[in-house]
Amino acid sequence: MIKVDQLHKSFGIHEILKGIDLTVHQGEIVVIIGPSGSGKSTLLRCLNCLEVPTSGTVKVEGQNFADPSGRYHEKRVAKLRTEIGMVFQSFNLFPMMTAIQNVMAAQIKIRKKSPEEAKVTAEEYLKKVGLAERMHHYPNQLSGGQKQRVAIARALAMEPHIMLFDEATSALDPELVGEVLKVIRKLADEGMTMILVTHEMRFAEEIGDRIIFMDQGVIVEEGKPDDMFNAPKHERTKRFINQVLHPESEKV
């Protein structure tokens, strides 16, 4: 579904991604973990053309979206963004639109659906994320968890082949995290291809088919959840996982 070869991304003199190679297969759930500033979010943004690589190749479903010189093929970008849904840390909802209007908007503008078709699809996906009774509420009438579920419904309504989640629960109060993770877990059960950047280590261990640990712009280590969390090979991976899962031990 996704193949990345030697992806580099720099902002000015700062090199954020330093030669990423990544393959994601259909139906696979890949979870990316690592410290802040390691390049996780930048990698996701390069996969759906929100950032243009400095160099490297990005292929999605066999289509080349970035050539070795780092240029994106603009004619393919619009199509790519309909195939890859992305959910951000912030909800990015239109405040003057209700939940259902937020989910309808991109369908009408990008998928060119009629308002009637878009409404039916929006209702379907808002029900899917458990918001059937809140679809006519405005964002300021919704909790953080509900806003994030609207954002997920909006992405799903575009009927993407791949979903990207960039720290989808990091802006939520702890008691609201579970309701969003429940929706992601349901998508996993249905076979959606997903790449998740998360700091929820237990959830990553539970849901991921493969865990990738990034640090300083490179993939340090990757493997199955049990291996990564219980027997990591690289010393940097061991230190990070120990700090996250057993923070009290770092204080001793």
Side-chain angles (χ1 to χ4, degrees):
M1 294 290 278
I2 295 176
K3 185 168 177 57
V4 177
D5 288 309
Q6 283 301 296
L7 181 64
H8 290 257
K9 176 62 182 176
S10 297
F11 295 98
I13 63 172
H14 301 290
E15 189 176 25
I16 307 302
L17 299 178
K18 304 173 183 177
I20 299 293
D21 293 318
L22 174 67
T23 300
V24 179
H25 301 285
Q26 184 171 2
E28 189 176 21
I29 301 164
V30 175
V31 183
I32 304 175
I33 62 173
S36 297
S38 59
K40 307 183 299 295
S41 295
T42 300
L43 173 57
L44 284 196
R45 293 173 67 85
C46 286
L47 295 183
N48 73 344
C49 308
L50 290 176
E51 296 290 353
V52 178
T54 304
S55 63
T57 302
V58 177
K59 289 185 179 180
V60 179
E61 295 186 303
Q63 290 287 312
N64 195 2
F65 286 91
D67 63 28
S69 69
R71 294 175 300 179
Y72 266 25
H73 300 286
E74 293 297 335
K75 291 183 179 180
R76 301 176 188 168
V77 167
K79 183 177 184 300
L80 170 68
R81 287 183 178 148
T82 66
E83 308 299 346
I84 299 183
M86 187 160 183
V87 179
F88 302 86
Q89 298 178 43
S90 53
F91 321 119
N92 296 330
L93 300 180
F94 296 110
M96 301 307 293
M97 291 183 180
T98 62
I100 193 168
Q101 289 169 337
N102 266 282
V103 179
M104 290 171 61
Q107 296 181 67
I108 294 170
K109 184 173 179 61
I110 298 173
R111 287 288 192 190
K112 306 302 182 185
K113 286 187 176 182
S114 69
E116 294 76 20
E117 289 178 303
K119 183 172 182 288
V120 170
T121 303
E123 288 176 344
E124 175 188 347
Y125 284 103
L126 284 167
K127 289 175 183 175
K128 185 184 183 75
V129 299
L131 290 175
E133 312 220 336
R134 308 290 285 179
M135 62 177 65
H136 298 295
H137 288 65
Y138 289 90
N140 66 0
Q141 298 172 310
L142 302 173
S143 70
Q146 290 169 338
K147 291 176 188 176
Q148 193 61 292
R149 284 187 282 157
V150 173
I152 294 173
R154 178 178 57 188
L156 291 175
M158 297 295 286
E159 299 178 335
H161 299 170
I162 302 162
M163 284 288 289
L164 309 177
F165 291 89
D166 186 11
E167 294 280 16
T169 61
S170 66
L172 303 179
D173 292 332
E175 65 269 21
L176 301 177
V177 169
E179 63 188 64
V180 175
L181 296 184
K182 181 179 178 181
V183 173
I184 298 174
R185 190 178 288 110
K186 184 176 181 181
L187 292 176
D189 291 341
E190 293 172 355
M192 173 68 76
T193 305
M194 294 191 282
I195 305 177
L196 299 90
V197 169
T198 185
H199 62 278
E200 300 284 344
M201 295 297 112
R202 295 302 182 192
F203 183 69
E205 185 175 10
E206 172 195 335
I207 200 172
D209 294 314
R210 180 159 44 113
I211 307 295
I212 290 175
F213 172 64
M214 286 185 65
D215 191 25
Q216 298 184 6
V218 300
I219 293 175
V220 176
E221 185 174 351
E222 61 181 287
K224 293 190 176 298
D226 187 56
D227 295 331
M228 289 292 288
F229 286 104
N230 297 308
K233 296 176 182 176
H234 198 283
E235 190 58 40
R236 181 66 187 94
T237 314
K238 293 178 185 177
R239 192 162 66 249
F240 173 78
I241 290 175
N242 190 56
Q243 287 172 342
V244 173
L245 295 182
H246 309 289
E248 66 284 351
S249 67
E250 296 296 312
K251 300 175 183 178
V252 177

